[in-house]
């Protein structure tokens, strides 16, 4: 089952040949984490590819004074900080398990051995970066031009699983508002439905 999600992801997103895909997927190891465990800490260097098979992970920035949620992973996808991974630089991000989580993990060393063998690593990294840049630019623009209420309405439409599975105080942090303000927004939206 776990391999199937990873195989399906690559079959849909990247032009690996079938032999290369099967071999590549087989090199990933399964890791499980419990709710509350930290997967990635800021100031560390990303040294593994992580594919989310099951569970929910929050990604956030943190200082001594505050935290700001920047993303939630609820579907099967890669959750690696690719900037840190490809450039061997320290990440600014943190990742924490909101639920129990199952990941498929591949070390950086194993990834580059495999991708050099199949000459597909460059395309994989370029494609991932393109998607990240487009997504980030859209999210940054939306956070700049939209009100918290408009952002919440967008989450209701495009990411309803967030509202079902992620604690409201995390959603409030993502929106840049207090939980009390989020509660008022939710009440207002219910009145107009």
């Amino acid at each position: 089952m776990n391999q199937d999600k990873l195989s399906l992801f690559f079959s849909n997103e990247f032009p690996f040949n079938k032999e290369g895909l099967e071999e590549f997927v087989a090199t990933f190891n399964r890791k499980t984490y419990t709710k509350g465990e930290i997967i990635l800490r800021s100031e560390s260097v990303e040294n593994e590819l992580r594919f989310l098979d099951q569970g929910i992970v929050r990604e956030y920035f943190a200082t001594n004074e505050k935290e700001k949620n920047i993303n939630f992973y609820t579907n099967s996808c890669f959750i690696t900080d690719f900037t840190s991974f490809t450039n061997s630089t320290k990440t600014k991000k943190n990742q924490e398990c909101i639920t129990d989580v199952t990941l498929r993990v591949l070390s950086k060393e194993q990834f580059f051995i495999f991708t050099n063998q199949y000459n597909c690593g460059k395309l994989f990294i370029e494609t991932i970066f393109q998607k990240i840049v487009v997504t980030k630019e859209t999210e940054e623009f939306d956070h700049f031009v939209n009100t918290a209420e408009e952002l919440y309405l967008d989450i209701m439409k495009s990411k309803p699983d967030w509202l079902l599975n992620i604690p409201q105080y995390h959603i409030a942090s993502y929106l840049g508002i207090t939980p009390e303000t989020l509660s008022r927004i939710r009440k207002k939206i219910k009145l107009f439905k």
Side-chain angles (χ1 to χ4, degrees), residues 164-180:
L164 295 172
N165 300 307
I166 297 168
Q168 292 302 301
Y169 65 93
H170 282 315
I171 299 290
S173 170
Y174 175 81
L175 296 173
I177 58 177
T178 66
E180 294 77 20

